[in-house]
Amino acid sequence: MLDIPLWKRISIWALCALGLWLALPNAFYTTVERHNDAVIEIEATGVTPELQADVDAWPSYMPNALVNLGLDLRGGVHLLAEVQVEDTYATRVDGMWTTVRNILREERATIGGVRQLDAAPGFLKLRIANVEAMPRALELLRTLAQPVQTLAGVGEMDLVFASDGDVISMTLSDAEKAAMDERTMVQTLEIVRRRVDEVGTREPTIQRQGTQRVLIQVPGLGSAEELKGLLGQTAKLEFRPVVRRTNDPAVAPGPGNEIMPSVDEPGQYYIVEKGAVVGGEDLVDAQPTTDQNGGQAVSFRFNISGAQKFGDYTADNIGSPFAIVLDGEVISAPTIQSHIAGGSGIITGRFSIEETIKLSALLRAGALPAELTFEEERTIGPELGQDSIEAGRIACIVAFAAVLIFMVLSYGTFGFFANIALVINVGLIFGLLSAIGATLTLPGIAGIVLTIGMAVDANVLIFERIREELKAKRGPARAIELGYEKALSAIIDANITTFLTAVILFVMGSGPVKGFAITLGLGIITSVFTAIFVTRLVVVIWFERKRPKEIEV
Amino acid sequence: MRLKLVPTETNFDFFSRGALSGGFSVLMMAASVALFFMMGLNFGIDFRGGTTFRTNADNAVVVADYREALAPLGLGDTSIVIVQDPLKPENNVTQIRIEAQDAAVASETTQNVLAALKAVDETVRFEAVESVGPKVSGELVQTAVLAVVAAIAAVLFYIWLRFEWQFALGAVAALVHDVVITIGAFALLQIKFDLAIIAALLTIVGYSLNDTVVVFDRVRENLRKYKTRALQEVLNLSINETLSRTVMTSVTTLIALISLFVLGGDVIRGFVFAMIMGVVIGTYSSVFVASAILNRLGVKRDWSKEAANRASGQYADIDA
């Protein structure tokens, strides 16, 4: 009647043991954390006696996965940045002017002269002299367009041309924009990762969210300023030809040019060409240094193609000035004295030492393809996090003890059995959380406390049923069996509905709320498991030993 | 000797004062809706955008001094509240909220606020700074509303699948009842309403259901057992039979929640408060709202052989 086959018994105990085994490292949190850190450190830098001691403090045959603590518990910075993907369209289109001009120039005889006109960002407009040659001009330009590589494989072209009288306007197709957004995001994630690494903190989380957002979480950072300083700058370095200098910021720069302020000389502006000679993407190294006068400077080195382009340009333009542009501002505009071969040089300006260190770090990490704006920022001090952990721990222990006592008072021996299951239940939750690498947040702790309260529900349902069956004058064994059998449908229905809400919370929630959904969901699974299998097994073992003629629940 | 919160045998009539409990529920819901529109909810920055600073200092805080210090910064609507915690009576901690500034998240503002407060009290430090831009807060509102609606819809569907549609309507009415009254309590007490509270509301949805489903499960069983008894009698019997369990589970959950409310720190106190409210109201509503509505709607009692077979077949599937 109350038979549970041996294999079932063994599997139940084995599952419990496995869960508790996985939960064990959390009981020695700091030791295991230092062990894990030391293992990583040794791999990176080699062994020192202190590191080896940290490693040896936790046996290597033991599991070492811990529950991650969320930012609200550990302290740190959470930033949600939006990538201004549209920025890249204008850069791309502006950069094509030279190619467009060259291809049309080859048939100057039929098309006539070509002039660039002012256009909205993301558009290139030009006027051709011979209107009759418009079809030929468009035909030539269409050879520039490439099919867009998309997953859907639809062969749409990347450029769209339109003509109106003698004016041609060129822009990017929607498919190309989508593909570029994708590339921009991938690039941005990579560069954000490299820059965050410069801060040198452990385990930062850098995640893409939605189509154009990046979530950055850096534990252990006390202030968001440093991080925002590092991420808030695009650090786009370019070398551009200078058209002329001016003092009037309102002057019309002319088509294909733009006006930029000077960093060091207030009131001084430069009109520079939109297309860059060389850009930051060709940089391979940047270091803080000093110039011949002892001023702070940043040295840089180009890769081969950058060095080639820079060399050719300087050779052709000796005597004319070029501008070193950083994020839309002219840092300096030296005159080219001679052909600069070898592709290295220094940038001078009125830098402080800190600025040169930061600038060279940013240049090394690479420019962001588009600007980041911050939509959400949360900084939690480590002190507050520690307080929350402490308060959560005490609340958990008190809740736990109170529920244990209450259960024994209400159900006697059976209450004690339910308590065994409850202890195993909490252990299993921690084991599962560690195993899947979930993050424990403050609402997550609330989820565990709630689970402690609700986990007994399934047992309560069963015990109440057994009481009813006993009242109906059934024998002990039969009452226990019927109690489990009849309570099952209520347990399943009640828990599935709660589980549904946990799933919805998980899908729709973010950050701490997600943490709550995880502990609530896992808690439901483990509490149903412990109630249906573990307490039942305990009750059966007890019954087999004692063979009571009468039971009181 | 056992601790018994509910006598072994109870025989309460839960419907004799149906008008009273029904009237009470309707009144509470109407009051909640009125409070919601009159006082509004004290939305946190998650939903309205803006920045909050949690400050801590070595000395007790005088709110007026802080207010005076921040006034010249021209931050617009500013609220300064001392964080009350019975375990920390020193009143050193405040929560300052400023409305959304022009830029999504401005660094200078943080520096300026800190500098202004340091002029009042040198020991002031920020324990937490949270800032949400208007774009994100709009989306958060949308997702939150969607989450609650999705949860209720999912539940409605599940119960309709497992029981009859009358049960589903009763359960969902109870849910809406619980959520509305909890929101009313938040409007009345002006407790900060943020993302975590939405999580709490959804948990209430889950808990209230849990309770309702247990009662309904017994109703379904008793309807099959006593085919000739009146529906109201069967409902009464079922509620009485499950009463001990309903009270036990509510009490254990409340024990856990109250310890968290008292000891868990002020950061999650609002969150826990919502859940405590939900457990109390959810227990009440599964008896007085869900079952009452089921009683009103009536259930198909004509358990012809075919229907019974189908029903027990369904039941057996789950048991297996």
Side-chain angles (χ1 to χ4, degrees):
Chain A
M1 286 215 305
L2 285 173
D3 280 347
I4 299 180
L6 187 63
W7 68 267
K8 237 184 190 173
R9 295 180 185 217
I10 292 174
S11 351
I12 293 169
W13 288 134
L15 271 175
C16 290
L18 179 69
L20 296 180
W21 175 251
L22 289 173
L24 196 62
N26 295 296
F28 307 91
Y29 203 93
T30 37
T31 314
V32 181
E33 194 174 36
R34 282 171 62 186
H35 165 89
N36 291 349
D37 286 351
V39 169
I40 295 171
E41 185 103 22
I42 286 176
E43 241 170 53
T45 57
V47 190
T48 65
E50 295 90 39
L51 289 176
Q52 194 55 49
D54 281 344
V55 170
D56 295 339
W58 184 252
S60 57
Y61 55 82
M62 297 289 281
N64 59 4
L66 289 167
V67 173
N68 293 318
L69 294 180
L71 285 186
D72 55 348
L73 294 178
R74 179 188 291 193
V77 175
H78 161 116
L79 281 178
L80 185 65
E82 188 158 289
V83 183
Q84 305 299 308
V85 286
E86 299 83 11
D87 287 1
T88 56
Y89 307 154
T91 318
R92 166 85 183 276
V93 171
D94 289 339
M96 293 199 66
W97 163 239
T98 323
T99 327
V100 167
R101 187 178 54 189
N102 290 346
I103 201 167
L104 293 180
R105 233 179 223 170
E106 280 170 23
E107 302 215 8
R108 192 170 188 144
T110 46
I111 298 167
V114 178
R115 260 196 330 121
Q116 189 179 5
L117 304 177
D118 276 325
F123 286 87
L124 187 69
K125 269 193 177 170
L126 44 104
R127 174 174 282 139
I128 56 174
N130 300 334
V131 189
E132 316 83 64
M134 182 57 84
R136 177 63 188 149
L138 285 176
E139 192 185 323
L140 280 171
L141 289 177
R142 289 215 169 92
T143 59
L144 289 174
Q146 305 279 328
V148 182
Q149 302 287 331
T150 59
L151 287 175
V154 185
E156 221 179 306
M157 303 308 265
D158 58 355
L159 298 174
V160 182
F161 299 94
S163 63
D164 177 18
D166 56 355
V167 176
I168 301 173
S169 88
M170 180 189 101
T171 189
L172 299 168
S173 69
D174 288 344
E176 175 63 10
K177 281 180 184 169
M180 277 179 72
D181 289 354
E182 207 49 42
R183 284 198 296 270
T184 307
M185 288 305 295
V186 171
Q187 234 176 322
T188 302
L189 281 174
E190 176 56 34
I191 286 162
V192 165
R193 187 162 293 133
R194 275 193 245 158
R195 289 192 187 180
V196 171
D197 283 345
E198 295 274 349
V199 187
T201 143
R202 30 176 280 173
E203 297 171 45
T205 307
I206 293 148
Q207 247 171 25
R208 179 170 176 179
Q209 285 216 322
T211 49
Q212 54 178 53
R213 293 210 178 126
V214 183
L215 173 70
I216 303 138
Q217 290 189 322
V218 187
L221 220 57
S223 147
E225 299 313 311
E226 190 188 354
L227 188 61
K228 273 161 71 183
L230 268 178
L231 296 176
Q233 198 175 348
T234 324
K236 187 171 179 192
L237 184 74
E238 289 166 312
F239 295 82
R240 298 214 204 171
V242 174
V243 181
R244 62 191 163 89
R245 290 159 60 108
T246 174
N247 293 320
D248 178 12
V251 73
N257 299 331
E258 59 188 320
I259 188 158
M260 285 180 178
S262 161
V263 176
D264 291 336
E265 305 155 90
Q268 184 68 59
Y269 294 85
Y270 289 89
I271 294 172
V272 296
E273 287 183 20
K274 274 188 182 169
V277 178
V278 199
E281 63 275 10
D282 285 326
L283 277 182
V284 285
D285 193 21
Q287 293 294 340
T289 181
T290 50
D291 62 11
Q292 63 269 41
N293 302 323
Q296 299 303 322
V298 173
S299 71
F300 62 86
R301 200 153 49 77
F302 285 125
N303 60 16
I304 295 171
S305 102
Q308 181 82 45
K309 281 188 271 186
F310 194 61
D312 290 352
Y313 180 78
T314 50
D316 294 346
N317 292 280
I318 291 175
S320 47
F322 72 101
I324 300 173
V325 177
L326 184 70
D327 291 341
E329 290 184 325
V330 176
I331 289 185
S332 64
T335 303
I336 300 167
Q337 305 291 353
S338 61
H339 170 212
I340 305 175
S344 64
I346 63 170
I347 306 168
T348 56
R350 288 181 199 156
F351 296 125
S352 66
I353 296 184
E354 290 76 30
E355 281 170 335
T356 57
I357 292 171
K358 185 178 149 200
L359 179 60
S360 50
L362 288 175
L363 291 178
R364 275 198 306 275
L368 287 168
E371 205 190 327
L372 295 181
T373 54
F374 297 105
E375 298 294 334
E376 189 184 332
E377 173 194 333
R378 295 174 199 265
T379 312
I380 312 290
E383 218 180 311
L384 183 61
Q386 197 53 46
D387 285 355
S388 295
I389 295 183
E390 222 25 71
R393 177 180 301 161
I394 293 170
C396 270
I397 293 171
V398 171
F400 204 62
V403 171
L404 292 183
I405 293 169
F406 184 74
M407 285 301 283
V408 171
L409 286 180
S410 298
Y411 295 110
T413 318
F414 278 73
F416 177 72
F417 296 154
N419 288 343
I420 296 177
L422 187 55
V423 173
I424 292 179
N425 186 15
V426 173
L428 287 182
I429 293 178
F430 274 97
L432 277 175
L433 283 174
S434 313
I436 63 176
T439 301
L440 186 66
T441 59
L442 188 53
I445 293 182
I448 292 179
V449 173
L450 187 70
T451 311
I452 294 174
M454 286 177 71
V456 293
D457 181 52
N459 280 314
V460 169
L461 275 168
I462 294 163
F463 295 165
E464 292 290 331
R465 269 294 177 160
I466 296 178
R467 272 186 186 173
E468 279 174 45
E469 297 303 326
L470 287 172
K471 247 193 298 179
K473 299 279 174 284
R474 300 207 201 273
R478 184 74 186 137
I480 292 172
E481 198 187 354
L482 279 176
Y484 272 96
E485 203 173 279
K486 286 191 173 172
L488 192 64
S489 100
I491 293 175
I492 299 282
D493 275 340
N495 283 291
I496 284 184
T497 45
T498 315
F499 192 72
L500 278 179
T501 52
V503 170
I504 289 170
L505 270 180
F506 180 78
V507 174
M508 307 207 130
S510 65
V513 176
K514 217 171 202 145
F516 173 73
I518 291 173
T519 51
L520 185 67
L522 290 180
I524 291 167
I525 296 171
T526 55
S527 71
V528 169
F529 169 77
T530 49
I532 296 181
F533 296 106
V534 180
T535 25
R536 187 178 204 160
L537 185 54
V538 174
V539 169
V540 166
I541 290 175
W542 167 80
F543 196 83
E544 284 170 344
R545 294 258 170 90
K546 290 266 159 98
R547 289 278 160 206
K549 290 273 177 296
E550 268 185 8
I551 54 171
E552 194 197 355
V553 179
Chain B
M1 193 50 219
R2 294 278 191 274
L3 174 74
K4 285 237 166 77
L5 298 171
V6 175
T8 320
E9 198 87 39
T10 57
N11 205 2
F12 299 116
D13 184 355
F14 291 98
F15 299 99
S16 62
R17 302 234 166 87
L20 194 70
S21 65
F24 178 71
S25 288
V26 171
L27 192 74
M28 289 289 279
M29 285 178 72
S32 297
V33 172
L35 279 172
F36 176 76
F37 283 109
M38 275 158 48
M39 304 183 67
L41 287 171
N42 177 13
F43 284 114
I45 54 162
D46 289 345
F47 295 132
R48 67 153 82 165
T51 306
T52 60
F53 306 94
R54 186 188 166 94
T55 69
N56 196 349
D58 294 346
N59 311 305
V61 173
V62 182
V63 172
D65 291 352
Y66 274 26
R67 193 172 294 283
E68 207 174 301
L70 294 182
L73 297 179
L75 300 168
D77 179 24
T78 306
S79 100
I80 304 172
V81 185
I82 293 184
V83 174
Q84 305 285 348
D85 191 333
L87 303 179
K88 291 180 191 158
E90 306 95 345
N91 289 346
N92 292 349
V93 181
T94 67
Q95 188 87 29
I96 300 174
R97 190 186 66 215
I98 60 175
E99 64 182 5
Q101 310 290 309
D102 291 341
V105 184
S107 320
E108 298 90 38
T109 315
T110 309
Q111 295 307 320
N112 294 344
V113 169
L114 185 60
L117 294 180
K118 283 235 187 242
V120 176
D121 182 346
E122 189 49 40
T123 61
V124 171
R125 59 200 174 270
F126 285 157
E127 282 192 332
V129 179
E130 301 190 55
S131 196
V132 178
K135 221 188 230 170
V136 172
S137 63
E139 290 167 9
L140 289 178
V141 172
Q142 227 173 24
T143 341
V145 172
L146 212 64
V148 174
V149 172
I152 292 180
V155 157
L156 185 71
F157 182 72
Y158 180 76
I159 298 195
W160 174 59
L161 208 73
R162 293 277 291 135
F163 297 84
E164 306 281 320
W165 64 268
Q166 293 94 336
F167 288 81
L169 266 187
V172 168
L175 276 190
V176 173
H177 169 267
D178 300 346
V179 171
V180 167
I181 293 180
T182 309
I183 290 178
F186 270 82
L188 179 68
L189 301 173
Q190 289 292 303
I191 302 173
K192 190 171 78 177
F193 195 90
D194 56 17
L195 261 191
I197 304 300
I198 296 291
L201 284 182
L202 281 172
T203 318
I204 294 171
V205 168
Y207 183 86
S208 161
L209 257 147
N210 191 311
D211 239 24
T212 309
V213 165
V214 169
V215 176
F216 279 5
D217 182 77
R218 187 59 73 97
V219 172
R220 181 173 56 183
E221 187 185 323
N222 283 339
L223 279 175
R224 281 190 211 121
K225 210 151 121 194
Y226 309 104
K227 292 193 176 144
T228 52
R229 280 209 202 173
L231 176 62
Q232 183 166 332
E233 252 179 79
V234 174
L235 284 173
N236 252 328
L237 177 72
S238 310
I239 298 172
N240 274 302
E241 280 177 353
T242 51
L243 193 62
S244 167
R245 172 268 159 193
T246 306
V247 173
M248 274 297 295
T249 300
S250 296
V251 168
T252 52
T253 309
L254 282 176
I255 286 176
L257 286 176
I258 288 170
S259 72
L260 193 62
F261 183 79
V262 176
L263 303 167
D266 64 276
V267 182
I268 50 168
R269 198 154 282 149
F271 179 75
V272 179
F273 173 77
M275 294 214 275
I276 291 177
M277 285 278 305
V279 169
V280 174
I281 304 171
T283 308
Y284 166 86
S285 73
S286 59
V287 173
F288 289 100
V289 179
S291 304
I293 287 192
L294 188 59
N295 192 25
R296 271 293 158 77
L297 290 172
V299 186
K300 192 182 72 174
R301 298 295 299 278
D302 173 27
W303 295 95
S304 62
K305 194 141 193 173
E306 196 186 328
N309 277 344
R310 189 170 52 88
S312 65
Q314 212 176 23
Y315 189 43
D317 277 347
I318 299 299
D319 266 359

